[in-house]
Amino acid sequence: MLDDIHNHWKRAEAVRIKCLGVPTLDMDNVCFLLEEKSGGKVIYHNINVLLLYWGRNYDLKNRPIIPLMLWKPQAPIYPKLVKNIADGLSFEETKGMRNRGLNSPTLMKLTRNGVYVVQRVKDAFEIEEVVRLDCTHAGRG
């Protein structure tokens, strides 16, 4: 990746990098490592996009030579975004609850106009342990 950054700096002063997945949880660390390894400066970063400027004293002819890596570095350990098991339950109990939720009848369909359903869901949880809402028609928004 560092070689790609230096190759891009042949044509432009800044590189736009878009991070996907788990590293976006720790963008401060990603920015720090990119600044340290590339010699550039992060001038802008938002959720998962950052701009890396080549710096004041960058010399294209004397750029650092990055050796070809013949070994794969150890992957960083990041926390899981979604837990497989709910707190206080075993794997089998969680799987059973998930299957019951998928097989239960829907309480109501949510529509795009945003029907206020808190009271109906609250009443349904008093009767049943698992409640399902159909959000296929809600759209994005």
Side-chain angles (χ1 to χ4, degrees), residues 87-141:
D87 293 333
L89 295 175
S90 69
F91 181 73
E92 288 79 21
E93 291 171 335
T94 306
K95 191 173 178 181
M97 291 280 283
R98 198 171 287 135
N99 288 338
R100 279 180 41 207
L102 290 172
N103 296 329
S104 65
T106 58
L107 178 66
M108 66 181 303
K109 285 187 178 180
L110 293 180
T111 56
R112 191 175 181 99
N113 60 3
V115 179
Y116 195 71
V117 295
V118 173
Q119 190 60 42
R120 286 186 68 180
V121 172
K122 195 182 219 183
D123 294 339
F125 270 123
E126 290 177 0
I127 300 169
E128 295 186 34
E129 195 174 28
V130 178
V131 175
R132 183 172 156 221
L133 297 173
D134 184 10
C135 301
T136 55
H137 304 289
R140 295 180 184 246

Side-chain angles (χ1 to χ4, degrees), residues 22-136:
V22 180
T24 58
L25 294 176
D26 194 11
M27 282 302 286
D28 292 333
N29 188 29
V30 171
C31 291
F32 174 75
L33 288 174
L34 280 174
E35 284 180 351
E36 181 182 331
K37 300 287 184 184
S38 69
K41 186 75 178 158
V42 174
I43 55 175
Y44 170 80
H45 77 66
N46 195 1
I47 303 168
N48 65 341
V49 175
L50 56 99
L51 282 176
L52 187 65
Y53 178 68
W54 65 15
R56 293 174 65 166
N57 303 321
Y58 183 73
D59 186 11
L60 185 62
K61 293 175 180 57
N62 296 327
R63 71 180 202 172
I65 298 171
I66 299 157
L68 181 65
M69 293 179 62
L70 299 175
W71 53 276
K72 187 175 180 182
Q74 191 174 12
I77 300 171
Y78 290 106
K80 290 186 97 172
L81 294 177
V82 178
K83 294 180 181 179
N84 287 340
I85 354 176
D87 293 333
L89 295 175
S90 69
F91 181 73
E92 288 79 21
E93 291 171 335
T94 306
K95 191 173 178 181
M97 291 280 283
R98 198 171 287 135
N99 288 338
R100 279 180 41 207
L102 290 172
N103 296 329
S104 65
T106 58
L107 178 66
M108 66 181 303
K109 285 187 178 180
L110 293 180
T111 56
R112 191 175 181 99
N113 60 3
V115 179
Y116 195 71
V117 295
V118 173
Q119 190 60 42
R120 286 186 68 180
V121 172
K122 195 182 219 183
D123 294 339
F125 270 123
E126 290 177 0
I127 300 169
E128 295 186 34
E129 195 174 28
V130 178
V131 175
R132 183 172 156 221
L133 297 173
D134 184 10
C135 301
T136 55

